Amino acid sequence: MTSMIRVLLAEDQSMVREALAALLGLEDDIEVVAQVARGDEVLAAVGASGVDVALLDIEMPGCTGIEAAAQVHRTFPQVKLVVLTTFGRPGYLRSAMEAGADAFLVKDAPAAQLAEAVRRVLAGERVIDPTLAAAALAEGANPLTEREREVLRAAADGSTNAELAQALHLSQGTVRNYLSTAIQKLAVRNRAEAVRIAREKGWL
């Protein structure tokens, strides 16, 4: 008898999560043994449920699926990680791979394709949506440094330079320099456009 593949599903939209769980449950060799709705619940759930594969949505409250993947990869390196996205942003693919993901797929892929990806990563393969892979290669690397990304993320809510400086424990001049450099690199006119472009490309 084939041993069951134990899977965790992390997805904040309950209807999507339940649909995925139901579809995967139809497979003879896959069992969804844990479900969470927040990124910051993933690590504990993986530890408690002893899963083989974690399916992680990118956009979740608490922390992103990519951040959760990095946590699981550090703590439970034997667990295979499949990152799912609604957004085909090239930067997400690169970030997911750097976080230790074994697969990167779009959420609207057929259920049979997702089930096959689960089996393939467990067999040691890496599975990447070919369209996203081509887009990531065409886009190139993220030009922003970690500090520039941090300042842009913090600036997304419209905070002033003084507020950013206080929140990030930096001087106002340093904040201004990081924002200015990010704006130049992204060839935009202001911080709002820089945040928008960086998000669209999956660089934040």
Side-chain angles (χ1 to χ4, degrees):
M1 179 179 169
T2 307
S3 60
M4 296 294 282
I5 302 170
R6 295 168 62 81
V7 170
L8 170 137
L9 269 178
E11 159 66 60
D12 64 319
Q13 296 181 48
S14 57
M15 285 182 66
V16 175
R17 188 175 67 251
E18 287 162 14
L20 282 172
L23 289 167
L24 288 171
L26 296 174
E27 303 291 327
D28 293 336
D29 57 344
I30 296 175
E31 181 183 9
V32 177
V33 297
Q35 298 183 40
V36 297
R38 295 177 57 88
D40 53 7
E41 295 173 350
V42 170
L43 188 63
V46 167
S49 54
V51 296
D52 303 301
V53 180
L55 299 180
L56 310 172
D57 180 36
I58 285 186
E59 302 282 342
M60 287 188 289
C63 72
T64 68
I66 291 174
E67 290 165 336
Q71 293 169 7
V72 174
H73 185 64
R74 281 194 301 269
T75 313
F76 303 103
Q78 76 281 7
V79 174
K80 300 298 183 181
L81 301 164
V82 177
V83 173
L84 301 172
T85 180
T86 307
F87 312 101
R89 294 171 182 167
Y92 278 166
L93 171 56
R94 194 177 295 271
S95 298
M97 293 299 113
E98 288 172 355
D102 300 282
F104 191 89
L105 300 168
V106 288
K107 245 192 272 187
D108 57 5
Q113 188 176 323
L114 181 57
E116 190 56 31
V118 167
R119 297 184 188 102
R120 287 173 63 189
V121 296
L122 205 56
E125 294 183 46
R126 181 162 278 187
V127 184
I128 299 172
D129 180 280
T131 305
L132 292 178
L137 284 171
E139 191 65 58
N142 184 347
L144 302 172
T145 66
E146 181 52 47
R147 266 302 201 186
E148 288 160 3
R149 292 199 296 271
E150 182 184 16
V151 173
L152 272 186
R153 276 194 293 266
D157 64 0
S159 296
T160 64
N161 284 358
E163 289 166 338
L164 291 172
Q166 186 173 7
L168 299 172
H169 309 292
L170 299 169
S171 71
Q172 288 191 50
T174 301
V175 166
R176 198 161 44 244
N177 288 341
Y178 280 132
L179 287 171
S180 176
T181 306
I183 288 166
Q184 286 178 348
K185 285 181 177 179
L186 298 176
V188 293
R189 291 171 296 182
N190 54 50
R191 69 170 73 182
E193 285 186 13
V195 169
R196 180 179 60 80
I197 292 294
R199 278 184 169 163
E200 285 175 0
K201 293 182 180 297
W203 288 342
L204 285 189

